């Protein structure tokens, strides 16, 4: 079990506090994402050759926001797996005493 836990720890680039910070950032990102996605859809629905720059900007900013969300979720999943393994190790250690 310790090798599994160490492997998970090695996967963790940020610490648990930065992962929690990323989760809080998701809340802010969703508002930003809703605004940009709506803007992109509105521009695309009435596509005008003159509006290609705002359209592409809204799409790119939306893609950036989804990247933040994906990264935060991946980091959080790794942290939670590590916590599960560590909890099992603690209970095993306490049971051996």
């Amino acid at each position: 079990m310790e090798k599994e836990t160490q492997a998970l720890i090695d996967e963790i680039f940020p610490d648990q506090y930065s992962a929690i910070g990323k989760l809080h950032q998701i809340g802010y990102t969703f508002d930003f994402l809703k605004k940009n996605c709506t803007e992109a859809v509105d521009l695309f629905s009435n596509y005008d050759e003159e509006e290609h720059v705002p359209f592409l900007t809204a799409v790119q900013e939306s893609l950036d926001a989804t990247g933040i969300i994906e990264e935060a979720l991946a980091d959080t999943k790794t942290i939670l797996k590590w916590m599960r393994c560590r909890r099992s190790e603690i209970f095993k250690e306490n049971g051996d005493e």
Side-chain angles (χ1 to χ4, degrees):
M1 182 76 82
E2 281 188 38
K3 287 183 183 182
E4 276 181 47
T5 304
Q6 188 58 48
L8 288 171
I9 290 170
D10 293 342
E11 283 183 40
I12 299 171
F13 295 107
D15 61 18
Q16 62 270 30
Y17 300 107
S18 60
I20 290 168
K22 285 181 182 179
L23 288 174
H24 285 283
Q25 190 177 21
I26 287 175
Y28 300 114
T29 303
F30 275 121
D31 290 335
F32 183 72
L33 185 58
K34 284 188 282 188
K35 175 191 160 292
N36 282 325
C37 285
T38 302
E39 183 178 327
V41 168
D42 288 347
L43 289 170
F44 188 72
S45 297
N46 301 311
Y47 192 74
D48 179 352
E49 199 60 39
E50 306 264 328
E51 295 180 325
H52 72 281
V53 172
F55 168 72
L56 292 175
T57 301
V59 170
Q60 186 58 51
E61 288 177 351
S62 298
L63 288 171
D64 292 345
T66 59
I68 290 168
I69 293 167
E70 288 173 355
E71 184 180 307
L73 290 174
D75 289 349
T76 303
K77 187 175 181 179
T78 301
I79 296 265
L80 291 171
K81 283 181 181 178
W82 171 79
M83 291 169 97
R84 185 185 303 148
C85 287
R86 185 65 189 124
R87 180 178 178 267
S88 296
E89 288 175 1
I90 290 169
F91 282 132
K92 184 180 179 223
E93 290 168 5
N94 289 340
D96 290 344
E97 293 176 358

